[in-house]
Amino acid sequence: MFSVVATAVRFYVLPDADTLSATHPAASEVGMTSTTRTTSGGTAPLPRAILSTHGLTKAFDGFRAVDEVDLAVAEGTVHALVGPNGAGKTTLFNLLTGFLPASAGRIEVAGQDITGLPPEKVARLGVARSFQVTSLFPAVTARAHLELALQAGTDLGRRFWRSDRLLARFTGRARELLDQVGLAERAEAPAGSLPYGQKRALELALALALDPRVLLLDEPTAGMGLEDVDRTVALVDRIRAGRTVVLVEHNMSVVGSLADTVTVLQRGRVLVEGAYRTVRSDPRVVEAYLGAGVA
Amino acid sequence: MILALLDRLGARPAWLRWGLLAAGLVSVLGLPWVLYPPVAADILCWGLFAVAFDLLLGHAGLLSFGHAAFWGTSAYATGLIAIHAGVPFPLAVAGGAVAAAVVAVPIGLLAVRRSGIYFAMVTLAFAQMIYFIANQWGDLTGGENGLQGIPREVPGLDLSDSFVYYYAALPLVLAGLFAAWRIVHSPFGRVVAAIRDNPARARALGYSVDRYKVVVFTVSAFLSGLAGGLYAVNHGFASLQEVYWTTSGKVVVMTVLGGIGTLWGSLLGAAAVVRLEDWLSTSGFDEVGIVTGSLFILVVLLFRRGIWGTVSYLLQRRRAAGAGMRSAESGNGTVRDPAAGDRPEPSLVKEP
């Protein structure tokens, strides 16, 4: 009997406690500390860091995919992570969102230590992500995707004795979000039947539906045609208002038009950090990544 | 003419859904008139068990190979409550179902840490532990002899006739079936389906995947317990057979035969298997397992969607072909139906 009660308590009571701790009192203080880094970018003193890492390291069998990375993402900015393949960008993303456990170091969101938290708790603390490889529910309609995401912010998901018609309350907001990413016409189409560009747009809408404090976009324009790239850039530019966006991106023109700050990673380490213009002309970056053609 | 009718079936308008429900109710109500009543009652119990199992396998994507633990735990618990407390049988069965759910929580908490075939192995191991306990704790369970003389009582009703017992048990079974349907079509059910299809995405949306799995596992165990308790009362005894691994296997066969993820298909699968076993054993054929085992292999190899799934797939395909022609005419692009017809064939085990 006790175990039933315990599980019921874990499932039905505790999740709210997790989310409550999001507004940790220490949040505003810690955010002010600026981190030391190997940058020569020379940016002005940062505003409050909403997302920061301290000596973050991930080792796979001795190979350090992410190696003592100190990152400080300032609130309200678009922060791009760039670097050659294998530089550790996606690994870093997976660490930040709890999909991989860190080998060493700390991750903080608004000053609260989130190191070691599972992905769902990180998400509930306001860090939403999109996936590099489109990750959707193929048989579910676009609208139902968003209803599912909107429902995540409530405790409806625990109501197994209620009808799913309750979810109709999210339909209006779901349509707004679909409209925002240009999918209004496809609301009733199963995600599996959408063309690639629209799948990516739905990914973005899903992350937006969580109304996150930090939005992590893993290669939002990967595999897109030029037209879709332009549309996505315009979209990210539109939704960035009032948000913090961290972006992994290979397309340097996308980075150039969106990012306030660029961090260049190489072999798991931070090589350079700074404004796009500064970083682009940095000789080390030219050598490591951009190549002579771009510089 | 038949094809036109099938087309309409595929479209599933409201009148058809109510029609199917009515047909289902009529057949359930008429079953003991057609079949030997104890066998009819067995079909009810196994039907509910298979639906509870499909809730876990079809809707949460979790293959348990230890569901006998819950069916059997409840069979014993129901028997003990009925024998020692002398309460009306629905109360005893409810107690048995609660006992099954209590056993399910720790098993679920440990098992959901693994997925795919490993989940099946962990549940099997726990079910074998329950079997071992039932076998060893003879003072309580009667060991090899089983728990004999489970009374079948409700004040004011003479239940000694199995025909009457069938109708006394029916409301409980229908309540269980309704609960399963309700869960599938609830906000919780949506999350569970999402977790089945893409757990990483569900986690990224903020859903605690493991907690949902434990809850659906426990609910499935509760409903399985409801079925197991009714079964024990139907037979007046609970034996080791109820916690043996072949019982876990049998419910897998029923659900797969009926159609994974179709919920009501499991009722058909259960009816088919119980009827077949009854027919085989009354005609003097002892190796029932060979027949059901072969049946299982045939279904897995030839029509994985099962009875219900295959029928609804064929209907959906006809309908999609019709819609395709229509949309080609109007230049409407690809608007496909997300329902069963579009889904890939179900698989028993999703590899982690």
Side-chain angles (χ1 to χ4, degrees), chain B residues 98-112:
Chain B
V98 169
V102 171
V103 171
V105 172
I107 297 179
L109 280 172
L110 289 165
V112 299

Side-chain angles (χ1 to χ4, degrees), chain A residues 10-149:
Chain A
R10 277 177 57 130
F11 189 70
Y12 288 99
V13 181
L14 284 183
D16 291 326
D18 299 339
T19 359
L20 277 180
S21 61
T23 48
H24 196 270
S28 48
E29 301 159 30
V30 189
M32 288 307 292
T33 48
S34 62
T35 40
T36 341
R37 70 193 71 126
T38 58
T39 170
S40 63
T43 39
L46 292 172
R48 178 179 124 110
I50 184 112
L51 177 68
S52 59
T53 70
H54 309 274
L56 191 63
T57 300
K58 179 68 190 176
F60 297 105
D61 291 328
F63 166 69
R64 292 159 89 88
V66 170
D67 195 359
E68 303 210 359
V69 168
D70 296 324
L71 192 72
V73 177
E75 189 162 19
T77 62
V78 175
H79 195 127
L81 299 174
V82 302
N85 283 326
K89 305 182 296 289
T90 295
T91 307
L92 181 56
F93 250 45
N94 285 332
L95 292 171
L96 292 176
T97 48
F99 276 87
L100 279 175
S103 309
R106 245 169 344 114
I107 309 165
E108 290 177 1
V109 171
Q112 189 191 352
D113 193 341
I114 63 157
T115 322
L117 288 186
E120 59 271 20
K121 286 194 180 164
V122 176
R124 286 202 291 265
L125 287 170
V127 179
R129 74 171 293 179
S130 73
F131 289 81
Q132 184 180 356
V133 177
T134 308
S135 179
L136 298 166
F137 310 104
V140 176
T141 65
R143 176 178 50 79
H145 268 83
L146 293 174
E147 287 173 2
L148 189 72

Side-chain angles (χ1 to χ4, degrees), chain B residues 76 80 132-147 240:
Chain B
Y76 281 114
L80 289 169
F132 182 79
I133 293 169
N135 194 10
Q136 294 295 311
W137 201 351
D139 295 343
L140 195 68
T141 64
E144 302 258 334
N145 299 321
L147 189 63
L240 284 175

